């Protein structure tokens, strides 16, 4: 597959007379994991939702390979862009296969191919995320990590070229966090993910966009964006990159009382 | 038996107690049972008739050569009543299913949208005020009332964001209460206070007044409704995951929700106008269906319709035979038949889990 | 399967419940909201828990001077007994519409305290020493009406027409005659009362014949709104009037006031006359008649085929009234035509 490039151009979204996202411009390069980072309320989810069918009023352009996303019909958009959905509790009575199957059919009422084709697509999606044997299990019986992987399989079942993830590592233990992000990074798709765990960002993201109060305050390679001043200013924590035998990692620490106050708190 | 020990062969096993059973088997089974119940329904009644008399009456009814009381009883009283029971049951159950998806809560039926109170208000207005003056019957009034309530809810619950689930419930309950209050007011202010009893009977719900006249129109509405809903099963699956998830899967969520709402309203208003407000069916049947065949709507929809028809048919048949020639209000029997069945299935599914 | 042992007990539970419920449901209709209720004795119990028992008898030291009637029917009785001038006010004026002639003029001239059921404040304000009405539910049963106790606390005696609903099959007008007798006693006009009773009894006796009773269906509502065939049971007052007119109600052997009857049974029993009871809805007599004649549920009956449908207001068919005997005469004529 040839993954596309996603570009946000001067995107502004307002609600209650407040700009949730203000003149945001950045590019998510093709085939790479772009991490959106920033404190709670910085607009990450809103930006991601624009790729996921949100009807919010916005100014500016969201382009996929140069084409405005709103010109894509819902089903075509969903074919190209897979969104990791949050698992809702009341859907626990479905099996894993059924949950993935919903992702396969939803946009189109007409089945593409035969029932057997659907079964194959569902099975391969589950295999791809490593839980091929759990297809008949009810969602309620699976662990948090397994459920998350089912939802990922649902997002991948139509073989999209883009993957949108909003805090996908919530509720996952450290092992599963790495597993999920590695899987996603190696898939060759264009991935845009809102992530909280900065050390994971430094490991798996090829491109980072840092947001604060709805504005872009940094964009580029992880090492450039995640510098000590920026992390302190936006998050209020001390940090530094550490080189290890298995790669460079960002390490963060609690702010010390005598540390200078961040610009954020003064704003 | 540990679920984890399930073998690879059952990878296609679906959710629900009957998850291992292919859909066509379940549907066929239910159709057979429904057919049997239909036969029983036409064969029994307050007046005992022989098989020969019943069959003869049906034959003559079809060829429009009915003569005599027996033919009348079978062809003009029992057959339309059985057909109406089937249609009303399917209509109520489907409407309940749609509303449960719209409000994302299994404890809901179409009455939570205020439609039954609206129907009652319409019926009461015709009974006490209009009627003769405007030349419309109670049934048209009830239909109009339900539609008016539906429009009120649609208008009040809509916002820029669409047709949110919580808002729908709150507005529906509010509109329902308003209509109920208005209904009481109209009854009290009526020049004749005895109309209250009439209203009460109507609200209880009954299929005793079934006529051939109703069957084609109701059949059309329920048939079209079933067709629309069945073909939109994948959309219902997606909506059930949540509005954001559904949007992510490519659906135009607010339009879709509005469309489903309209279908639920049309089904409910039509059914309620001929049978009054029969309770419990819209709530229990979709839940029962889900417990049996799982959460995928491609399976739930046909089973819901068939179970709904069965429940109301069984209830109505019991209502007119258990204490013949007296008729028991059907609402008592839908509950008496539906509740034990529901509890049985719930316990089974809990034990299986 | 462990569940199989539970099935028999569930079945038993269901069966028992059905019959228990049906026992309650059969014959007695569910209760309308307490705020609004029919005034007829047969409209089913919406009685407030605090309602008084029906005051069937009354003891007064001297004939009452200031009377409040809770409905126009009671007022008519009093006027007929010659004590109409003592009425200071009335409620329930819709009962008046059935009367005509000089009696009507007298009724129309009575001051109206309350158009509806007799609000206790309005009644008390008129400072009567005697209150009477034809329904047991007028004494605290209807929302806002005065209980017998309240009236007594204010030095007011109360008398109602009780017994309209019989224990067994209802076949006499005794409830009405008893009421007239009690009124006569209270007002010291026993002779007039006896005269009236004799007159009415004589008219009824004239109608007695050896002819086979005509089968009749008493319909309290036209089944055009989706509900079934609602009729009055054997214990209701209507049953008595039909019986005395030379007919037999289809539901005569069913106990209860308000009963829902199977349309199949109606088709088989084939009533010759349908007695439609008006006054329960906004439909006029003509509308009721034409709706019945075109109802598919009743199409197979002789009554509909021959057009033998007669409409009688519930005020004179279901409650004691001066016009009960007139109603019987009208019914008798209809039954004769159908024979």
């Amino acid at each position: 597959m040839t993954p596309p490039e996603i570009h946000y151009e001067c995107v502004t979204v307002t609600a209650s007379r407040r700009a949730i996202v203000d003149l945001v411009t950045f590019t998510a390069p093709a085939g790479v994991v772009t991490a959106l980072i920033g404190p709670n309320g910085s607009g990450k989810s809103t930006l991601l939702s624009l790729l996921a069918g949100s009807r919010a009023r916005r100014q500016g352009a969201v382009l996929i390979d140069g084409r405005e996303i709103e010109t894509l019909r819902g089903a075509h958009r969903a074919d190209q862009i897979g969104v990791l959905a949050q698992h809702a509790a009341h859907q626990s009575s479905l099996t894993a296969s059924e949950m993935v199957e919903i992702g396969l059919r939803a946009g189109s009422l007409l089945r593409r191919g035969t029932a057997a084709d659907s079964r194959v697509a569902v099975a391969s999606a589950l295999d791809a995320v490593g839980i091929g044997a759990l297809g008949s299990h009810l969602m309620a019986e699976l662990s948090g990590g397994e459920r998350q992987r089912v939802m990922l399989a649902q997002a991948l079942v139509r073989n999209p070229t883009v993957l949108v993830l909003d805090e996908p590592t919530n509720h996952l233990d450290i092992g599963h966090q790495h597993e999920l992000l590695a899987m996603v990074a190696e898939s060759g798709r264009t991935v845009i993910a809102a992530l909280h765990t900065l050390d994971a960002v430094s490991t798996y993201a090829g491109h980072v966009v840092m947001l604060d109060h709805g504005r872009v305050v940094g964009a580029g390679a992880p090492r450039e964006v995640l510098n000590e001043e920026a992390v302190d200013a936006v998050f209020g924590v001390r940090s530094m990159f550490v080189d290890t035998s298995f790669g460079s990692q960002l390490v963060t620490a609690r702010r010390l009382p005598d540390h200078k106050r961040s610009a954020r708190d003064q704003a | 038996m540990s679920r984890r020990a399930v073998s690879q062969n059952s990878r296609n096993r679906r959710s629900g107690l009957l998850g291992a059973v292919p859909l066509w088997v379940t549907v066929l089974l239910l159709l057979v049972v429904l057919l049997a119940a239909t036969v029983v329904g036409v064969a029994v009644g307050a007046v005992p008739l022989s098989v020969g008399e019943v069959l003869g009456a049906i034959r003559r009814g079809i060829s429009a050569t009915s003569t005599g009381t027996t033919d009348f009883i079978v062809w003009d009283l029992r057959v339309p009543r059985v057909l109406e029971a089937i249609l009303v049951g399917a209509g109520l159950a489907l409407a309940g299913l749609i509303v449960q998806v719209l409000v994302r809560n299994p404890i809901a039926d179409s009455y939570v949208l205020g439609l039954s109170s609206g129907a009652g208000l319409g019926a009461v207005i015709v009974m006490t005020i209009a009627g003769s003056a405007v030349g419309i019957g109670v049934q048209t009034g009830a239909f109009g009332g339900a539609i008016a309530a539906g429009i009120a809810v649609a208008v009040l619950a809509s916002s820029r964001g669409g047709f949110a689930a919580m808002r729908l419930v709150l507005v529906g309950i509010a509109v329902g209460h308003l209509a109920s209050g208005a209904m009481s007011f109209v009854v009290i202010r009526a020049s004749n206070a005895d109309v209250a009893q009439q209203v009460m009977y109507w609200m209880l719900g009954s299929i005793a007044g079934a006529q051939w006249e109703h069957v084609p129109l109701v059949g059309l509405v329920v048939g079209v409704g079933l067709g629309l809903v069945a073909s939109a099963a994948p959309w219902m699956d997606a909506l059930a995951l949540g509005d954001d998830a559904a949007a992510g899967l490519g659906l135009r969520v607010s339009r879709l929700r509005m469309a489903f709402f309209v279908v639920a309203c049309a089904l409910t208003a039509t059914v309620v106008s001929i049978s009054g407000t029969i309770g419990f069916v819209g709530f229990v049947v979709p839940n029962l269906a889900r417990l049996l065949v799982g959460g995928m709507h491609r399976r739930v929809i046909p089973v819901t319709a068939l179970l709904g028809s069965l429940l109301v048919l069984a209830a109505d048949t019991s209502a007119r035979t258990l204490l013949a020639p007296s008729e028991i209000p059907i609402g008592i029997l839908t509950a008496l038949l539906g509740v034990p069945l529901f509890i049985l299935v719930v316990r089974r599914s809990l034990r299986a889990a | 399967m462990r569940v199989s042992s539970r099935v028999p007990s569930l079945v038993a539970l269901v069966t028992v419940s059905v019959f228990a419920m049906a026992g309650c449901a059969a014959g007695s209709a569910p209760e309308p909201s307490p705020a609004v209720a029919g005034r007829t004795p047969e409209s089913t119990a919406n009685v407030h828990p605090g309602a008084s028992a029906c005051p069937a008898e009354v003891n007064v030291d001297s004939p009452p001077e200031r009377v409040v009637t809770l409905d126009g029917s009671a007022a008519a009785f009093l006027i007929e007994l010659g004590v109409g001038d003592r009425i200071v006010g009335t409620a329930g004026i819709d009962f008046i519409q059935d009367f005509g002639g000089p009696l009507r003029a007298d009724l129309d001239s009575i001051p109206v305290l309350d158009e509806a059921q007799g609000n206790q404040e309005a009644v008390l304000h008129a400072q009567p020493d005697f209150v009477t009405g034809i329904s047991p539910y007028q004494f605290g049963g209807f929302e806002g009406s005065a209980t017998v106790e309240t009236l007594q606390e204010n030095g007011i005696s109360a008398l109602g027409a009780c017994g309209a609903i019989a224990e067994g099959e209802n076949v006499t007008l005794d409830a009405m005659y008893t009421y007239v007798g009690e009124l006569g006693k209270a007002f010291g006009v026993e002779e007039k009362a006896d005269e009236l009773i004799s007159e009415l009894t004589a008219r009824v006796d004239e109608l007695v014949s050896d002819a086979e009773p005509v089968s009749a269906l008493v319909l309290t509502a036209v089944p055009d709104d989706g509900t079934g065939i609602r009729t009055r049971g054997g214990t209701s007052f209507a049953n008595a009037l039909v019986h005395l007119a030379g007919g037999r109600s289809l539901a005569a052997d069913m106990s209860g006031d308000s009963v829902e009857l199977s349309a199949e049974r109606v088709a088989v029993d084939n009533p010759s006359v349908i007695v439609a009871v008006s006054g329960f809805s906004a439909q006029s007599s003509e509308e009721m008649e034409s709706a019945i004649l075109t109802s598919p549920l009743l199409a197979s009956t002789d009554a509909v085929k021959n057009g033998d449908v007669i409409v009688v207001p519930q005020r004179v068919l279901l409650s004691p009234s001066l016009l009960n005997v007139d109603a019987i005469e009208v019914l008798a004529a209809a039954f004769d035509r159908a024979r």
Side-chain angles (χ1 to χ4, degrees):
Chain A
M1 71 178 103
T2 37
E5 179 189 88
I6 308 273
H7 181 74
Y8 284 69
E9 183 67 41
C10 292
V11 174
T12 301
V13 177
T14 47
S16 323
R17 276 176 274 129
R18 204 173 58 85
I20 303 178
V21 165
D22 196 5
L23 292 173
V24 164
T25 300
F26 71 88
T27 303
V32 146
V33 176
T34 299
L36 292 186
I37 61 175
N40 294 335
S42 53
K44 308 193 294 293
S45 291
T46 307
L47 285 169
L48 289 180
S49 73
L50 295 176
L51 283 174
S54 156
R55 311 287 302 165
R57 243 186 241 131
R58 55 146 162 115
Q59 293 149 325
V62 178
L63 308 170
I64 171 168
D65 264 351
R67 190 175 164 188
E68 167 59 62
I69 198 170
E70 262 178 17
T71 63
L72 290 173
R73 264 183 3 127
H76 289 158
R77 171 178 47 81
D79 281 341
Q80 295 184 53
I81 303 178
V83 181
L84 181 70
Q86 296 305 313
H87 168 61
H90 62 263
Q91 283 304 309
S92 298
S93 55
L94 291 173
T95 63
S97 296
E98 287 175 337
M99 185 60 92
V100 175
E101 189 184 337
I102 294 180
L104 189 63
R105 290 287 305 278
S108 46
L109 292 187
L110 296 171
R111 192 201 293 274
R112 282 185 216 155
T114 64
D117 291 339
S118 300
R119 275 201 293 275
V120 165
V122 167
S124 8
L126 285 171
D127 282 334
V129 298
I131 49 171
L134 300 181
S136 296
H137 290 246
L138 294 179
M139 292 294 277
E141 298 167 347
L142 301 177
S143 69
E146 287 165 342
R147 276 204 285 267
Q148 191 72 308
R149 286 197 272 173
V150 173
M151 301 314 286
L152 185 60
Q154 186 196 70
L156 291 174
V157 73
R158 277 148 109 173
N159 245 325
T161 51
V162 178
L163 203 54
V164 173
L165 311 169
D166 195 347
E167 292 174 28
T169 55
N170 283 353
H171 316 304
L172 293 183
D173 62 52
I174 186 104
H176 285 119
Q177 285 181 27
H178 279 273
E179 212 168 44
L180 186 89
L181 290 172
M183 209 186 305
V184 153
E186 284 155 22
S187 68
R189 296 176 164 86
T190 303
V191 179
I192 307 188
L195 290 168
H196 271 323
T197 44
L198 296 183
D199 64 325
V201 170
S202 59
T203 312
Y204 296 102
H207 189 75
V208 175
V209 177
M210 189 187 292
L211 296 156
D212 190 15
H213 284 87
R215 296 201 187 93
V216 176
V217 297
R223 197 105 196 210
E224 296 161 22
V225 179
L226 294 171
N227 59 70
E228 190 177 310
E229 287 80 25
V231 172
D232 181 21
V234 172
F235 294 99
V237 296
R238 298 205 68 181
S239 65
M240 68 184 279
F241 262 92
V242 171
D243 289 311
T244 67
S245 56
F246 43 84
S248 291
Q249 284 281 352
L250 186 73
V251 175
T252 57
R254 198 174 51 189
R255 264 175 56 217
L256 296 173
D258 64 346
H259 200 87
K260 55 185 189 314
R261 290 186 64 73
S262 67
R264 173 168 63 98
D265 287 340
Q266 289 163 352
Chain B
M1 171 174 80
S2 160
R3 282 304 201 86
R4 303 236 166 215
V6 163
S7 71
Q8 287 288 84
N9 286 342
S10 49
R11 262 174 77 147
N12 294 323
R13 193 192 184 293
R14 295 189 164 278
S15 48
L17 278 176
L18 301 177
V21 177
L23 180 65
W24 69 267
V25 172
T26 311
V27 169
L28 190 63
L29 202 67
L30 284 173
L31 275 172
V32 167
V33 175
L34 185 61
L35 193 63
T38 306
V39 169
V40 170
V42 176
V44 306
V47 175
L49 297 173
S50 74
V51 173
E53 287 172 311
V54 172
L55 289 175
I58 294 178
R59 217 183 319 124
R60 281 188 292 276
I62 294 177
S63 61
T65 54
S66 302
T67 49
T69 310
T70 308
D71 285 359
F72 176 80
I73 289 177
V74 172
W75 188 254
D76 290 287
L77 293 180
R78 286 187 194 171
V79 172
R81 187 159 175 171
V82 162
L83 290 177
E84 234 182 72
I86 291 174
L87 291 173
V88 166
L92 284 176
L94 282 175
L97 176 65
I98 295 175
V99 172
Q100 284 174 11
V101 170
L102 281 180
V103 306
R104 235 162 272 128
N105 193 320
I107 309 176
D109 61 17
S110 51
Y111 299 155
V112 91
L113 298 178
L115 300 175
S116 63
S117 307
L121 178 60
V124 159
I125 288 178
V126 168
M127 275 183 214
T128 61
I129 303 172
S132 47
V134 203
I136 57 176
V138 170
Q139 297 172 313
T140 318
F143 182 83
I147 295 293
I151 292 177
V153 170
V155 166
L156 292 172
S158 283
S159 66
R160 237 231 109 225
F163 219 33
M166 181 56 127
R167 214 163 150 165
L168 201 52
V169 171
L170 293 174
V171 172
I173 292 176
V175 168
H177 274 292
L178 184 65
S180 277
M183 205 168 100
S184 296
F185 180 72
V186 169
V187 171
I188 289 174
R189 293 302 299 163
S191 55
N192 163 39
D194 293 307
V195 77
Q197 208 175 69
Q198 191 102 330
V199 171
M200 176 100 281
Y201 276 114
W202 189 87
M203 288 294 283
L204 265 192
S206 166
I207 309 194
Q211 307 169 12
W212 269 115
E213 217 172 71
H214 301 152
V215 174
L217 185 60
V218 178
L220 184 68
V221 172
V222 173
V224 168
L226 178 60
L228 286 176
V229 171
S231 60
W235 285 346
M236 287 182 91
D237 289 327
L239 271 184
L241 293 182
D243 285 355
D244 291 335
L249 289 169
L251 274 59
R252 288 292 297 270
V253 172
S254 55
R255 269 193 209 171
L256 207 52
R257 289 174 62 83
M258 178 60 88
F260 276 119
F261 180 73
V262 168
V263 174
C265 275
L267 280 172
T268 306
T270 306
V271 162
V272 164
S273 72
I274 60 163
S275 73
T277 46
I278 299 178
F280 196 65
V281 177
F283 154 64
V284 82
V285 172
N287 281 297
L288 193 56
R290 270 193 287 264
L291 284 171
L292 288 174
V293 294
M296 293 297 273
H297 287 91
R298 190 180 72 90
R299 291 160 61 86
V300 174
I301 290 165
V303 172
T304 295
L306 287 169
L307 281 179
S309 297
L310 265 172
L311 179 61
V312 174
L313 182 55
D316 187 56
T317 307
S318 314
R320 61 185 165 91
T321 54
L322 282 176
L323 290 171
S326 191
E327 301 230 359
I328 305 173
I330 192 175
I332 295 178
L333 284 149
T334 49
L336 273 175
L337 290 175
V339 169
L341 188 61
F342 186 58
I343 291 177
L344 208 72
V345 176
V346 166
R347 293 181 66 111
R348 278 287 236 120
S349 78
L350 284 177
R351 223 174 292 153
Chain C
M1 287 195 303
R2 278 164 53 203
V3 75
S4 61
S5 64
R6 297 190 191 267
V7 172
S9 46
L10 265 171
V11 169
L13 175 67
V14 169
T15 318
V16 167
S17 314
V18 165
F19 282 103
M21 290 263 201
C24 301
S28 68
E31 311 181 5
S33 76
V36 189
R39 260 139 319 153
T40 61
E42 264 104 33
S43 50
T44 50
N46 79 321
V47 183
H48 268 198
S52 318
C54 185
E57 296 172 338
V58 67
N59 291 316
V60 291
D61 300 323
S62 58
E65 315 252 298
R66 296 175 58 81
V67 180
V68 161
T69 50
L70 294 171
D71 53 76
S73 193
F77 277 119
L78 289 172
I79 294 172
E80 194 69 13
L81 289 174
V83 294
D85 50 343
R86 301 189 206 179
I87 304 177
V88 297
T90 186
I93 57 171
D94 55 324
F95 279 80
I96 294 177
Q97 63 188 280
D98 303 312
F99 294 91
L103 183 52
R104 175 63 177 270
D106 288 336
L107 285 168
D108 282 335
S109 68
I110 303 175
V112 177
L113 300 177
D114 173 8
E115 290 180 9
Q117 293 138 335
N119 177 270
Q120 63 181 331
E121 286 179 21
V123 168
L124 292 172
H125 183 71
Q127 293 176 325
D129 54 8
F130 189 84
V131 167
T132 185
I134 53 93
S135 165
Y137 302 134
Q138 288 165 328
F139 301 97
F142 300 141
E143 185 117 333
S145 58
T147 60
V148 173
E149 292 70 34
T150 308
L151 293 172
Q152 281 172 349
E153 275 168 38
N154 288 278
I156 307 171
S157 313
L159 176 70
C162 311
I165 302 169
E167 292 298 314
E169 193 185 333
N170 203 335
V171 292
T172 67
L173 288 178
D174 286 348
M176 192 260 288
Y177 298 141
T178 309
Y179 182 56
V180 173
E182 286 296 321
L183 282 176
K185 265 194 349 215
F187 286 84
V189 290
E190 289 93 330
E191 270 185 36
K192 199 88 201 344
D194 288 338
E195 247 180 66
L196 180 56
I197 294 175
S198 305
E199 193 193 306
L200 293 171
T201 325
R203 281 166 64 189
V204 173
D205 287 341
E206 254 176 75
L207 299 170
V208 168
S209 76
D210 291 328
E212 191 70 24
V214 172
S215 73
L217 171 66
V218 177
L219 256 193
T220 51
V222 183
D224 63 352
D225 57 356
T227 54
I229 311 245
R230 294 206 299 284
T231 183
R232 291 297 179 183
T235 55
S236 76
F237 202 56
N239 194 68
L241 270 72
V242 166
H243 174 88
L244 290 168
R248 183 170 164 79
S249 158
L250 289 194
D253 50 1
M254 298 171 73
S255 83
D257 320 322
S258 185
V259 172
E260 185 162 342
L261 197 54
S262 157
E264 295 184 18
R265 187 24 84 68
V266 170
V268 162
D269 290 349
N270 196 5
S272 312
V273 176
I274 290 179
V275 178
V277 185
S278 69
F280 281 119
S281 77
Q283 277 177 319
S284 71
S285 305
E286 296 79 29
E287 282 160 1
M288 276 194 95
E289 201 180 315
S290 75
I292 289 172
L293 290 172
T294 54
S295 164
L297 258 63
L298 301 166
S300 74
T301 60
D302 281 344
V304 165
K305 286 185 195 160
N306 301 330
D308 285 317
V309 176
I310 181 161
V311 184
V312 182
Q314 53 96 356
R315 292 173 298 271
V316 299
L317 192 66
L318 305 184
S319 333
S321 164
L322 261 185
L323 301 176
N324 287 146
V325 178
D326 296 81
I328 294 176
E329 286 167 347
V330 163
L331 288 176
F335 292 159
D336 278 337
R337 275 197 303 275
R339 278 208 178 84

